[in-house]
Amino acid sequence: MTREHHIPFNKEFLLEQQLTAFAEDSKKTDDFRKLFDIIEHYFHYEAFNLNRNLKQNYALFDPDLSLKERENFIGKSDFNVFKETLLTVLEQGNYRRIDQETLNKAFEDSDLIGLKLSIDFNAFKDYELYVRGHHKAKEKIRKYFFWKKEIEIEYYDRVLIYLHYSEADYIKEKKVKLGKMPIEPGSVALKIFKRVTKNDLETIFPNAIPRMSAKDKLFFWVPGIGGGISLLSTTVIPALIGMYGAYQSGEAIDLLNSKASLNQGLIALGILSLYLFRQYSNFVNKKIKYSKILSDSLYFKNLGNNSGAFYSLLNSSEEEVLKETILAYTFLYKTEYPITAEELDNQIESWFTAALNTNLDFDVQDALLKLKTMALATESNGKWSVVPLNQALRTIDALWDNVFDYNQKVEASECN
């Protein structure tokens, strides 16, 4: 598996783990809590601004808004700003984009229920999938009759699908069959899911249509055509021709043998028909199971749609940034001398491996950039150190106080 930047532990747990080093100093422990409490509020304010930016620039392309509501945002919503802001939030939340090669492999590989899904990509001007976190699990699937096979399934913990629908003229030109899919041409749809199978990524596309797999077609058409032609040509048709010829010529008909031959052929055709009906029923049952999977995805796995997805994205983005900040500051604080970014990265990743049995790729550059931006860390000759805890509290408090400086401006103007 590819190592990810995502930290699969919540911020409260990580903070408690770091504070164990200062358990004997209650004042220092309290000061650390105060520091990260203010930092969390500051990051929350930044997330609020990102959310406002996203909503403002997404409104014109939001399929949940009415046409009249979207018209109010003509000239106000900027698609490029929306896309750039969305990518920023995804990067901060440690989501990564699924490349086309991985997507193609997922589309080609068989899914858990053996259905082939058909997707008309002409419906989309652009589509992208972003994932975060992954794990493997053992599951049993039914193979032939009563035999069940245990296989290893890889899941993505979170999946965001971004769909930019084509314009109406293009959809009409390409004769895209939308069916009952309620889409607004030119709009942008966003959906977040949890625990999605890696080889079943196509199931989250809204226009995925179940088709017979190659194996299903083989088991249906080869016996149907081959068996039908064979039975008709060797038993039923010769018996009928013989009976009709004898009737026309006035010859005596061997009724017993003709009926027996005809009955055998019809019985064989009946058995073949039952076999074909069973194969088709299997396909129908798979479609029903696929519908159940879709309903489960919408009810249990769906975490947000369109502008409603922003909350989930921003919440995870805010948490990831805070977790990285907590780890970078506390590890640098515990180090008695300045260290390089690489040394800090190795320390944190080694701690995750030894203490939490987790192998991840800590985003040390992003963490250090945040600390530097807030004036909580300094760099000298490629080595990093953090400001003392009491100074850090004053610095972050001043930063938070200056988020809104209207009162200071009023007081300054009154003095003048």
Side-chain angles (χ1 to χ4, degrees), residues 142-315:
R142 187 180 297 278
K143 297 299 282 184
Y144 305 102
F145 298 103
F146 298 104
W147 179 44
K148 288 186 177 181
K149 180 182 179 182
E150 186 176 71
I151 60 175
E152 189 175 61
I153 306 295
E154 188 172 350
Y155 291 91
Y156 291 120
D157 295 331
R158 294 289 184 272
V159 177
L160 168 79
I161 183 169
Y162 164 92
L163 301 171
H164 191 175
Y165 289 108
S166 301
E167 301 296 339
D169 293 340
Y170 185 83
I171 290 176
K172 185 177 180 180
E173 177 189 342
K174 294 296 182 179
K175 299 178 180 179
V176 179
K177 294 181 180 179
L178 299 176
K180 297 182 179 180
M181 187 172 63
I183 73 160
E184 187 70 31
S187 65
V188 176
L190 300 171
K191 293 181 181 292
I192 300 181
F193 297 89
K194 65 178 181 179
R195 203 171 184 271
V196 178
T197 312
K198 182 178 180 180
N199 288 339
D200 286 336
L201 287 173
E202 70 272 28
T203 61
I204 65 176
F205 281 81
N207 60 335
I209 301 173
R211 307 285 189 191
M212 275 192 174
S213 64
K215 184 177 72 173
D216 288 333
K217 290 179 181 178
L218 184 68
F219 286 164
F220 185 83
W221 290 110
V222 172
I225 296 175
I229 292 175
S230 176
L231 288 171
L232 289 172
S233 61
T234 58
T235 57
V236 178
I237 294 177
L240 291 174
I241 291 175
M243 292 173 68
Y244 180 76
Y247 172 78
Q248 290 289 337
S249 63
E251 296 178 2
I253 301 175
D254 188 351
L255 194 59
L256 184 61
N257 288 335
S258 296
K259 279 187 174 181
S261 178
L262 181 61
N263 287 338
Q264 288 174 0
L266 292 175
I267 290 171
L269 279 175
I271 294 173
L272 178 61
S273 298
L274 287 173
Y275 168 80
L276 294 178
F277 177 75
R278 184 178 181 276
Q279 290 300 117
Y280 182 74
S281 296
N282 286 339
F283 171 66
V284 172
N285 289 334
K286 287 178 181 179
K287 289 182 69 175
I288 294 173
K289 189 174 181 181
Y290 172 70
S291 298
K292 177 66 167 57
I293 291 174
L294 282 185
S295 65
D296 287 348
S297 295
L298 292 174
Y299 192 82
F300 296 109
K301 296 184 178 181
N302 184 262
L303 300 177
N305 301 308
N306 303 326
S307 59
F310 296 157
Y311 172 78
S312 178
L313 287 176
L314 288 164
N315 183 60

Side-chain angles (χ1 to χ4, degrees), residues 29-40:
T29 300
D30 289 340
D31 286 346
F32 265 109
R33 293 186 191 279
K34 292 175 184 177
L35 174 65
F36 292 118
D37 185 52
I38 301 175
I39 291 175
E40 182 175 8

Side-chain angles (χ1 to χ4, degrees), residues 47-78:
F48 168 79
N49 287 332
L50 286 171
N51 186 37
R52 184 168 55 184
N53 194 349
L54 281 171
K55 286 184 175 180
Q56 169 74 24
N57 292 287
Y58 176 65
L60 184 60
F61 314 98
D62 188 350
D64 290 339
L65 298 183
S66 66
L67 181 60
K68 187 175 181 180
E69 288 175 311
R70 292 202 302 274
E71 286 176 349
N72 294 328
F73 289 92
I74 295 176
K76 299 177 182 177
S77 293
D78 188 317

